[in-house]
Amino acid sequence: MAEAAILGIIQHLESSYANTYYNNLEFRIKKLRGMLDFLSDLKMEEERRPKYLMADLLELAQEVADSRYITDYWFDTYHIEIELTKMRIINFGADDKNDREEDEEVVVGLEKDVRKLIDKVLLNDLCSDHTWIIKGMAGIGKTTLARQVYNHKDVVGWFEHRAWVSITSDKSNKEILVDLIQQMAVGSEELFERDYLLEEKDNRSLRKLLLQHLEGKRYLMVFDNMLRGMNLGYIFRDIDETGKYHEDCGSRELWTSRFSTSIGDSIHNMKPLDVDTSWQLFLKTIDKFTSIENKFSKDLERKGKEMLKKCGGLPLAIIDVGRQKAKERLSGIEWEELFDSIDLSESLKKLEPMYDELDEDFKACFLHMSFFKENAIMREEKLEQIWAASGLYPLTTLEERYNGRGGTCYVLLKESIIEGLNGTPRQREVKRCRMNPLLHMLSVKKAEEEIGLEILNSNRNSKPSQNPRHRVVHCGREKFNHSKNHENKQLISLIFHGGGGYLEDVSPSYWESFELLKILDLEDFGVKIMSESIGTLTKLRYLGLRNNYLTRIPRSLGDLENLEVLDIDLNFMVEVPDIIGEMGSLRNLYMSDVIFRHPLKIDTLENLETLTNISIYDWAYEVSGLETLNRLVKLGIEDIDENLDVGKLFASLAKLWRLRRLILRGPRFTSMPCLDEIGVFFLLERLRLDGRLDRLPSASNFPRSLHHLILANTCLEDDPMPILEKLRVLRRLKLQNAFTGREMVIQDKGFSSLRFLSINELWNLRNIKVGRRALPFLVQLEINNCPRLETIPEEIGSMKDLEEFKMVTTKHIATKIRASGLTSNIVEVDIVP
C-alpha cells in the first residue's frame, strides 16, 4: 500500500531528526503527511486506485525525503508535480474532454505548415530549440497537423526512432515512460520479453532504461494534447542531465497544446483558415458525406463563403457546418436555401470546455470581452481597465506589466483564448489582441446566461434581457426607441458600437437614469456633443470617448469623483475645462491635440499611473509638485522643441521615481533639442522618441535600464547603430523613418541582448552590414518599406535563434530575397508580396 510506504518514509525521517543530512526536516514531514492525508481521504478502495499514479506519488514522496536542499526551484518542481498527480488520481476514469481533436480524414490547407515544421524545425540542424509546441485553440487542427508531420515520409526516413504519446488528464508519468520505451526500443525486445516487466519497474528504473535506448540516437517524440501546467522535465530529468542527447543527435520533441508553459517556448501558432481554404474544406466535407462531387455557381460559391465567415476559419466549425448542410441536402433542401443561415450551436458546445477550464477570475474576464465587436482589435490597456472598472482585479498592476510580469491578457494568450497582434515574440506584453469569432460568440452566449448581458440592435432583432446588468448597443443608420428609464437603473456597463444619431436626440435627463453605471464606452462612435448631465453618473469609473468629433468636454466631468479612466484621445482640438485637477480618483488619462485655457496642474492626482499625451506648454510641471505623483508609470509629452530647456524638464521628471515608460514628441517641422541629459532616468525601461533629431545621445547617456526603444521620424543623418548597439540591456528596437542615410553598420558583437529589430520606412537605405557574433539572441527581424534595400545581410542565415523574418518590399526585391536562400533556415518567413 502507498500509505504504508509513505508512512515508512515519515518514520525514517523522524528517526533521523538529529541527522543534518536532512535539512528543513519539519517541512518535509509536513509535505509527506499532506500526501498521507490525501490518500486517507480517497473514497475509492485500494484495489481500485490507479496503480501507475500511485507509483508516481510514491516516487515523489521518496524524492521529498531524499533531496539534499530545498530551493525555490525544488519547491516549484515538486509542489506542482505532487498537486498534478493528486488531481490525476482524483480524475481517474473520468471522461476526458480536454481538447481531444478528432483525427479527421478531411485535411485542407496544412501543406505550408507541414513543410515548415519538417524543413525548418525537425530536419534543420541549425534549429537550436529541440522542443516545439504546435499551439492553438480547440478545433484548429493541432493533432491533425502533428499526424501529417509524424507520418510524412521525410520524417520517417530521418529519425531512427519515433514515438507518439496521447496525453489524458489522468495519465501517469509511469504510463508515459512505458509508452516511450515500448515505441522507442524496437529491436531491443530481449530487454523485456513481456510488458509486465516494465510495469514492475519503478519510475527511476524506467527513466534509466529509456536513456539507455536513446543515447546516441536521433529520435522524434510527439506528445499530443499537453495539458495546462504539464511539464515533461520531471519525466526526462535524468536524460536532460546528460546535456547532449538532443544537440548532438538532432532529436526533437513536438507537443500539441492549447497552452504554452513559459515565455521562452518555441511555438508554431496554428492560424485560422482563410476564406478560400475554408471553402475547400467545406466542399471536401460535403462531398465525402454525400458521396458525390458537388458543383456550385459563382453566385452560390460567393454566398457559401459569406456564410462560412461565421466559422472564423476554424476547421472544427467548418466540418460541423459541412456535415449539417450535407445532411439537409440529402433530405431534399436546395443549396440556395441552405446557404441562407448557419447553425453553430454544436461547435460552440465543443468549445465550452475551453471556458469551463478557465480559473474563475479569468472566466469573468472572458465574459466581459463580449462587450467588444466581433473581430475587434482590442488594446491590452483598455481590456485591463474595463476589467478593473467592473471589479475584476487585473493579474498585475501597470508597473508590474512594464516590469515584464505579464497581465491577464498574457494568461489568455497562453491559453489560446486570444491571439496577440503586436508581433513581438517571447514577451509578456500583449499590447493588441483579437478573439476568434467562435470564441467571441461563446463569450456573448455565456455573458447573456451568467452576467445579464443585453444586446440591442437598430437594424436586426435585439436580445433584450429581463434585468440587464450590461448593455451593448449596435447602431446602424436606423434609429430605435431609447430604453425606458427603469430599464437603465441596474446597468453597470453601457457600450456603443457603430454610429449614427442614436444619442443626438436624447433628453438631458437620459444620463440621470443610469444610477449604477461604472463603464461608458463610446469609442469610434462619432459623438459630437456630450451633455452636461453626464456629470450625474457619479459611480462611473471608465469613460471612453476616443476617436470621436468632440470639440468640448463637459465641465460636469469634474463631478465624477470615482472616475479612474478618462480617454479623450484622437478628438482633434478638443477643449478641456479646468477640471482635471478635481478628479482625484483618476488613474489613466489619455488625450492628444487638446486645448487648455490654463496650464494643467495635476499635483492632486496622487493615483495617476498614465498621462498621455500632454503638450509641454499646457503643463505647469515646474510648480505642480511632481513628487506627489508617486504612482506615475507612463508619461507622454508633446511639443518638445528647440526652445525648451530639456535639462530642467528632465531634472523635474526625475522625481517620478516609478516612471518606466516615456514618450517624447517633437514639433512637425523643427527638431527636438539635444537629449544628452536623458540618462537621469536610471529606471526608465521604455522610450519613444518621435520627431526630428540632429543627433542621438551617446550610449553612456541613455538610461541604463532601457530595454525597449522606438525612434520614429527622427530623420537622423548619421547611422544610429554605432550608438544603439552598445546599449547592453536593449531587447527591442524599432526604427521608423529614423535614418536618411544609405548604409547601416552593426559592428562585431553589437546588440548583445537584442531580441526584436524592426526597420521601417528607411527610404534611402541600400545596405545593412552585420559583423561577426553580432545580434546573437535576435529572434525576430522585420524590414518594411525600404524600397532601395535589395539585399539582406548574409549573416542572418546562420543566426540560430532567429525564428521570424518579415519583409514588405517591392515585387522585384521580394523575388530576389527568396531566391537568395538566406531565409531557408528561418522557421517563420513572411515576405510580401
Side-chain angles (χ1 to χ4, degrees):
M1 290 177 62
E3 290 99 329
I6 294 176
L7 183 59
I9 295 173
I10 293 173
Q11 291 171 347
H12 171 69
L13 287 179
E14 289 175 336
S15 66
S16 306
Y17 197 90
N19 190 342
T20 57
Y21 175 82
Y22 295 102
N23 71 319
N24 292 340
L25 192 64
E26 292 182 4
F27 176 85
R28 297 170 186 271
I29 293 174
K30 181 179 178 181
K31 177 63 66 176
L32 293 170
R33 287 202 179 278
M35 292 188 192
L36 201 60
D37 292 342
F38 167 75
L39 291 174
S40 300
D41 291 341
L42 286 178
K43 302 301 181 184
M44 48 186 165
E45 298 296 328
E46 172 68 23
E47 59 269 20
R48 294 181 58 200
R49 292 179 186 167
K51 184 169 62 174
Y52 281 1
L53 287 168
M54 301 301 285
D56 284 358
L57 195 63
L58 183 58
E59 186 193 17
L60 286 165
Q62 192 64 59
E63 295 280 355
V64 169
D66 290 349
S67 295
R68 183 175 294 272
Y69 299 107
I70 298 181
T71 63
D72 289 342
Y73 177 79
W74 180 97
F75 179 81
D76 289 343
T77 300
Y78 288 100
H79 177 74
I80 292 171
E81 194 62 34
I82 288 168
E83 294 307 312
L84 285 174
T85 303
K86 288 180 180 179
M87 289 305 300
R88 290 171 190 147
I89 294 174
I90 292 171
N91 294 331
F92 182 75
D95 291 334
D96 185 61
K97 298 179 181 179
N98 287 306
D99 192 18
R100 304 301 299 160
E101 299 180 15
E102 296 180 14
D103 187 14
E104 296 290 348
E105 294 181 21
V106 182
V107 179
V108 170
L110 294 180
E111 296 83 4
K112 288 184 179 179
D113 296 84
V114 170
R115 284 268 45 117
K116 185 187 299 181
L117 283 169
I118 292 175
D119 295 341
K120 300 187 177 184
V121 174
L122 300 186
L123 276 59
N124 181 10
D125 290 334
L126 288 178
C127 181
S128 59
D129 294 321
H130 65 260
T131 300
W132 280 77
I133 302 175
I134 298 176
K135 181 178 177 290
M137 62 180 289
I140 204 164
K142 302 182 293 295
T143 299
T144 304
L145 173 59
R147 285 217 176 272
Q148 294 283 306
V149 170
Y150 183 78
N151 293 320
H152 195 279
K153 60 181 178 60
D154 293 346
V155 172
V156 174
W158 180 259
F159 292 99
E160 298 174 60
H161 301 279
R162 295 178 305 134
W164 180 288
V165 180
S166 296
I167 305 297
T168 59
S169 61
D170 59 4
K171 192 149 192 169
S172 67
N173 292 339
K174 184 168 184 176
E175 285 176 286
I176 294 174
L177 287 166
V178 170
D179 272 1
L180 290 172
I181 293 171
Q182 288 174 333
Q183 296 181 66
M184 289 289 184
V186 176
S188 302
E189 288 81 359
E190 67 277 4
L191 293 175
F192 47 93
E193 295 180 359
R194 297 186 180 179
D195 289 345
Y196 75 83
L197 293 178
L198 292 178
E199 294 182 9
E200 294 301 318
K201 293 180 180 293
D202 60 23
N203 289 14
R204 294 182 183 182
S205 300
L206 290 172
R207 282 200 299 269
K208 290 178 181 178
L209 184 58
L210 181 60
L211 175 59
Q212 180 182 342
H213 291 304
L214 296 182
E215 195 166 8
K217 297 175 182 176
R218 186 167 57 214
Y219 63 82
L220 170 65
M221 297 178 183
V222 177
F223 297 92
D224 182 34
N225 189 44
M226 290 287 286
L227 307 177
R228 181 197 288 113
M230 192 170 186
N231 194 315
L232 298 178
Y234 177 76
I235 298 173
F236 295 143
R237 183 185 56 219
D238 297 333
I239 300 172
D240 289 336
E241 287 174 356
T242 66
K244 59 183 180 180
Y245 80 109
H246 288 297
E247 291 79 359
D248 290 350
C249 304
S251 296
R252 296 287 187 264
E253 291 174 19
L254 197 60
W255 303 0
T256 72
S257 183
R258 274 180 29 219
F259 315 101
S260 54
T261 58
S262 70
I263 197 171
D265 288 337
S266 295
I267 294 173
H268 177 84
N269 283 301
M270 294 286 291
K271 302 292 185 183
L273 303 180
D274 59 29
V275 173
D276 291 332
T277 312
S278 296
W279 177 248
Q280 292 302 315
L281 180 58
F282 176 77
L283 288 180
K284 279 198 170 186
T285 302
I286 61 173
D287 287 353
K288 178 185 174 185
F289 199 91
T290 59
S291 300
I292 60 172
E293 185 177 356
N294 292 273
K295 300 287 186 181
F296 297 96
S297 66
K298 289 292 184 183
D299 287 341
L300 269 182
E301 179 178 333
R302 192 178 304 111
K303 192 174 181 180
K305 288 181 177 179
E306 191 65 30
M307 173 191 71
L308 289 177
K309 286 182 180 179
K310 286 291 183 181
C311 296
L314 193 66
L316 175 145
I318 297 167
I319 291 170
D320 279 348
V321 171
R323 287 170 172 170
Q324 292 170 15
K325 298 302 181 184
K327 186 176 180 180
E328 291 171 347
R329 178 71 186 94
L330 292 175
S331 69
I333 305 175
E334 296 297 326
W335 285 116
E336 289 83 350
E337 185 179 346
L338 290 175
F339 287 172
D340 287 337
S341 62
I342 188 170
D343 179 8
L344 294 168
S345 57
E346 190 64 31
S347 301
L348 290 178
K349 192 179 298 183
K350 293 177 181 178
L351 294 179
E352 284 194 14
M354 290 188 74
Y355 170 74
D356 294 336
E357 292 166 9
L358 287 172
D359 292 339
E360 290 303 316
D361 290 342
F362 297 125
K363 280 184 180 179
C365 293
F366 176 79
L367 296 178
H368 283 72
M369 294 174 84
S370 61
F371 296 173
F372 293 80
K373 292 189 293 186
E374 182 181 296
N375 280 320
I377 295 176
M378 299 171 283
R379 300 190 306 277
E380 178 184 27
E381 282 184 327
K382 181 175 180 177
L383 278 168
E384 296 275 1
Q385 290 158 5
I386 284 180
W387 291 330
S390 300
L392 311 174
Y393 296 98
L395 193 65
T396 57
T397 65
L398 183 63
E399 181 182 13
E400 288 173 327
R401 288 209 307 279
Y402 287 145
N403 284 334
R405 298 187 185 179
T408 302
C409 284
Y410 176 62
V411 174
L412 296 177
L413 178 69
K414 286 177 62 176
E415 303 222 352
S416 300
I417 299 294
I418 60 174
E419 173 193 359
L421 299 178
N422 47 303
T424 306
R426 304 191 183 198
Q427 74 171 47
R428 289 181 168 87
E429 185 187 11
V430 177
K431 291 184 69 174
R432 284 175 173 79
C433 61
R434 181 168 49 205
M435 180 185 282
N436 185 277
L438 264 294
L439 281 180
H440 180 266
M441 199 178 300
L442 181 63
S443 73
V444 170
K445 175 177 178 290
K446 289 294 183 180
E448 289 173 342
E449 295 171 357
E450 299 183 19
I451 62 172
L453 175 66
E454 176 183 71
I455 298 180
L456 302 180
N457 299 277
S458 64
N459 55 0
R460 54 186 184 271
N461 292 332
S462 297
K463 299 179 181 179
S465 172
Q466 289 237 307
N467 297 296
R469 302 277 286 167
H470 309 275
R471 178 180 296 155
V472 175
V473 182
H474 293 273
C475 294
R477 294 182 179 179
E478 300 85 353
K479 293 187 178 182
F480 56 96
N481 294 328
H482 300 293
S483 303
K484 298 178 182 178
N485 286 355
H486 71 273
E487 296 174 346
N488 301 330
K489 290 184 180 297
Q490 300 301 314
L491 279 180
I492 296 174
S493 310
L494 179 60
I495 296 94
F496 291 91
H497 296 306
Y502 179 77
L503 293 176
E504 291 180 3
D505 59 349
V506 297
S507 67
S509 63
Y510 175 72
W511 296 112
E512 297 174 4
S513 62
F514 297 94
E515 298 177 1
L516 301 179
L517 199 67
K518 294 181 179 179
I519 297 170
L520 176 59
D521 188 19
L522 292 154
E523 183 172 338
D524 303 326
F525 194 61
V527 178
K528 298 177 182 178
I529 299 174
M530 289 300 296
S531 168
E532 286 287 344
S533 64
I534 199 171
T536 62
L537 303 176
T538 57
K539 303 289 186 183
L540 203 64
R541 299 177 65 183
Y542 180 96
L543 178 57
L545 299 172
R546 178 180 292 232
N547 196 27
N548 283 288
Y549 302 110
L550 293 170
T551 57
R552 183 180 176 277
I553 298 300
R555 178 170 291 276
S556 64
L557 288 190
D559 299 329
L560 302 181
E561 58 186 22
N562 292 302
L563 193 67
E564 296 179 355
V565 181
L566 175 60
D567 189 349
I568 56 173
D569 200 9
L570 302 179
N571 285 274
F572 183 67
M573 302 305 289
V574 57
E575 183 179 345
V576 179
D578 190 18
I579 58 172
I580 299 298
E582 303 170 16
M583 307 171 80
S585 296
L586 207 60
R587 295 166 62 105
N588 301 279
L589 174 59
Y590 302 92
M591 52 189 176
S592 59
D593 294 317
V594 297
I595 301 171
F596 288 100
R597 297 300 180 188
H598 304 283
L600 179 63
K601 296 181 181 180
I602 57 173
D603 53 302
T604 57
L605 305 182
E606 297 180 358
N607 295 308
L608 199 65
E609 294 182 357
T610 303
L611 172 61
T612 64
N613 289 293
I614 178 70
S615 170
I616 193 62
Y617 296 108
D618 286 332
W619 184 19
Y621 66 90
E622 299 174 356
V623 294
S624 62
L626 291 181
E627 61 274 2
T628 64
L629 303 178
N630 56 17
R631 293 178 181 267
L632 195 67
V633 175
K634 178 181 177 181
L635 174 63
I637 307 176
E638 297 181 332
D639 300 323
I640 305 293
D641 62 21
E642 292 175 322
N643 299 318
L644 183 69
D645 185 345
V646 290
K648 187 177 180 181
L649 171 65
F650 291 166
S652 295
L653 296 182
K655 299 174 184 177
L656 303 171
W657 62 276
R658 284 191 175 173
L659 189 66
R660 297 293 183 271
R661 181 170 179 177
L662 180 62
I663 304 167
L664 299 177
R665 286 199 170 100
R668 182 171 299 179
F669 300 112
T670 59
S671 296
M672 288 192 284
C674 174
L675 302 176
D676 285 342
E677 294 92 344
I678 202 167
V680 299
F681 301 108
F682 299 117
L683 301 178
L684 194 71
E685 297 176 353
R686 301 177 184 220
L687 175 64
R688 179 186 177 100
L689 301 178
D690 192 339
R692 292 177 178 270
L693 278 173
D694 292 333
R695 64 176 178 85
L696 289 176
S698 66
S700 60
N701 284 337
F702 269 96
R704 65 182 65 171
S705 299
L706 194 67
H707 57 68
H708 279 47
L709 176 62
I710 298 175
L711 301 181
N713 305 309
T714 52
C715 299
L716 294 162
E717 293 182 2
D718 295 331
D719 181 6
M721 293 310 195
I723 293 175
L724 301 180
E725 69 185 9
K726 297 174 184 175
L727 302 181
R728 293 188 177 277
V729 299
L730 191 66
R731 297 200 298 266
R732 176 179 171 88
L733 174 61
K734 183 175 182 179
L735 305 177
Q736 181 176 347
N737 191 25
F739 172 52
T740 59
R742 295 187 173 192
E743 182 174 83
M744 290 190 349
V745 179
I746 301 173
Q747 303 289 344
D748 293 353
K749 301 181 182 179
F751 290 112
S752 59
S753 299
L754 201 68
R755 304 293 195 271
F756 172 85
L757 175 59
S758 176
I759 300 172
N760 297 328
E761 299 174 16
L762 303 193
W763 307 108
N764 297 322
L765 186 66
R766 288 170 166 79
N767 189 27
I768 301 175
K769 292 183 178 179
V770 178
R772 292 177 59 253
R773 291 184 287 176
L775 300 164
F777 299 110
L778 192 68
V779 176
Q780 181 172 344
L781 174 62
E782 288 185 357
I783 302 176
N784 298 325
N785 300 317
C786 300
R788 298 179 186 273
L789 184 67
E790 297 197 6
T791 61
I792 57 177
E794 293 183 3
E795 289 77 9
I796 76 166
S798 57
M799 292 180 180
K800 289 190 175 182
D801 282 2
L802 188 60
E803 295 175 5
E804 295 186 47
F805 174 74
K806 298 180 180 180
M807 190 171 191
V808 177
T809 185
T810 65
K811 186 175 181 180
H812 164 72
I813 296 175
T815 302
K816 190 173 180 180
I817 298 295
R818 290 191 188 97
S820 71
L822 292 174
T823 62
S824 59
N825 291 319
I826 303 173
V827 176
E828 188 73 37
V829 177
D830 185 10
I831 302 175
V832 179

